[in-house]
């Protein structure tokens, strides 16, 4: 019988994409996917460190694998991803989870087959974590979660050092893939039936900008080459690609040329995720974000002028050190002005090693929670109001599968990134079909196939 694997992925889309590479490598060796982690011969945990609760969840899930690992002498458990780039985590694994077979970091995913071949359960934990990256690797296998849509990494790492964020330490300096490699990958995806691509990077707006600095190994020089808007224009020409999305964008790097793409390109979805983090200019400065509340609002106005229907979503951190009641009110005011289509709100989480962690003005937990709840209410009211406009609209929906809650229903996404459920047969999965909205709720839309 073929050996089996399971990969548990925490965190962002970059991690999901990395897990598809790891799955591709295992499948190339004949492993088959097993739904139940405890029954698999190989279990990998791809971790996230962006907030503390992701750390906690990881240790909880890992702990549950101890008994199955003990019972099955053939079972291999490996851990990888952002958490492994921190020495304190490696130390904790060595002292409390010494039974883990393999530990590797974000820079050496391409080395996984070699590391995997060297694992032996009798020997102690195999640890290989590099401190800095090579150029982004090309040509690694991939086992895609969906045939009709795919993530495509265009860059990795971040040079922004927002003062709360661990990512620049775990994913390293910014480096971009060469445009010809990205376009070749997307052409191949399109030929394989892929209709939607989401271009991924920590800060896609600065694609192709960061030159080689120590540890970044970038190809970028002063010679003319594509920037992010240029790349989008090329992707837009690829036959078969009907939808282009991207994330994430840093407001400071959102160029006018990029904004113009929303009015210009045929396949670019009218949707942008534009993390604001806070509405207080003072807090934004402490966060090292390089824009003011007014500059952010001006960007939103420009986006809406170029493309009136554009859906805008954001990330907000509540309770950053030093955030006063007045600062928080600025965030509420910004949200009321922008009227986001959706927002991810986070409680500020102390990340060891970042400048904000050392700030003496930490906001008490109770205050953070109270502000968080208030912000959620504000957002909810805005979204409820906005979603009423979806009633009776006709949207093209890319059908992703059967609804998890009701197998008689299909579920998919419209251009604006909203989920639409409707009745229809399985053969529609992977197709883009017109659906009229008959019931518009705040977080979900119900429609009928036309
Ligand atoms: N605490 C809370 N939220 C954070 N984020 C990043 N670091 C932290 C932190 N220390 C949020 C930001 C970012 C999103 C991916 O995670 O809002 O945009
Ligand atoms: Fe973190 Fe800021 Fe870089 Fe985003 S732009 S990954 S929030 S440092």
């Amino acid at each position: 019988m073929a050996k089996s694997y399971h990969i548990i992925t925490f965190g962002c889309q970059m991690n999901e994409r990395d897990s598809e590479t790891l799955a591709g490598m295992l499948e190339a060796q004949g492993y088959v996917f097993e739904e139940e982690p405890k029954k698999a011969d190989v279990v990998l945990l791809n971790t996230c460190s962006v907030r503390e609760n992701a750390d906690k969840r990881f240790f909880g899930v890992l702990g549950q694998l101890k008994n199955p690992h003990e019972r099955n002498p053939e079972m291999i458990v490996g851990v990888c991803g952002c958490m492994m780039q921190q020495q304190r985590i490696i130390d904790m694994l060595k002292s409390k989870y010494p039974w883990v077979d393999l530990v590797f970091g974000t820079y050496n995913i391409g080395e996984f087959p070699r590391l995997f071949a060297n694992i032996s359960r009798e020997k102690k934990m195999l640890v290989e974590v590099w401190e800095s990256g090579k150029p982004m690797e090309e040509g690694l296998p991939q086992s895609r979660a969906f045939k009709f849509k795919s993530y495509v990494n265009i860059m990795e790492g971040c040079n922004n050092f927002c003062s709360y964020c661990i990512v620049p330490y775990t994913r390293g300096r910014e480096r971009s893939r060469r445009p010809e490699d990205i376009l070749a990958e997307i052409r191949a995806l399109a030929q394989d039936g892929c209709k939607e691509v989401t271009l991924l990077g920590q800060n896609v707006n600065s694609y192709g900008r960061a030159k080689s600095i120590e540890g970044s190994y970038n190809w970028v020089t002063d010679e003319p080459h594509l920037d992010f808007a240029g790349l989008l224009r090329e992707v837009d020409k690829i036959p078969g690609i009907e939808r282009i999305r991207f994330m994430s964008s840093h407001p400071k790097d959102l160029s006018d040329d990029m904004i113009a793409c929303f009015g210009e390109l045929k396949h670019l979805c009218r949707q942008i995720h534009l993390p604001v983090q806070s509405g207080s200019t003072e807090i934004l400065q402490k966060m090292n974000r390089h824009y003011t509340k007014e500059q952010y609002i001006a960007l939103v106005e420009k986006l809406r002028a170029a493309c009136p229907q554009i859906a805008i979503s954001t990330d907000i951190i509540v309770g950053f050190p030093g955030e006063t009641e007045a600062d928080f009110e600025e965030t509420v005011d910004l949200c009321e002005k922008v009227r986001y289509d959706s927002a991810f709100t986070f409680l500020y989480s102390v990340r060891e090693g970042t400048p904000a962690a050392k700030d003496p003005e930490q906001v008490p937990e109770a205050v953070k929670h109270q502000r968080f709840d208030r912000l959620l209410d504000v957002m909810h009211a805005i979204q409820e109001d906005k979603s009423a406009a979806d009633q009776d609209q006709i949207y093209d929906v890319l059908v992703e599968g059967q609804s998890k809650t009701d197998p008689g229903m299909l579920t998919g996404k419209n251009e604006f990134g909203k989920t639409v459920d409707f009745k229809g047969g399985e053969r529609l999965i992977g197709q883009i079909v017109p659906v009229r909205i008959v019931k518009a709720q705040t977080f979900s839309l119900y429609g009928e196939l036309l």
Side-chain angles (χ1 to χ4, degrees), residues 10-11 48-59 83:
F10 299 84
C48 166
S49 343
V50 80
R51 284 171 295 276
E52 196 188 0
N53 56 5
D55 284 18
K56 287 196 188 135
R57 270 178 50 226
F58 160 67
F59 283 115
M83 282 178 77

Side-chain angles (χ1 to χ4, degrees), residues 50-51 164-165 275 277 315-317 346-351:
V50 80
R51 284 171 295 276
Y164 51 81
C165 185
Q277 314 298 1
D315 292 341
I316 295 176
I317 298 177
F346 306 109
L347 292 165
Y348 168 70
S349 166
V350 175
R351 302 287 62 206

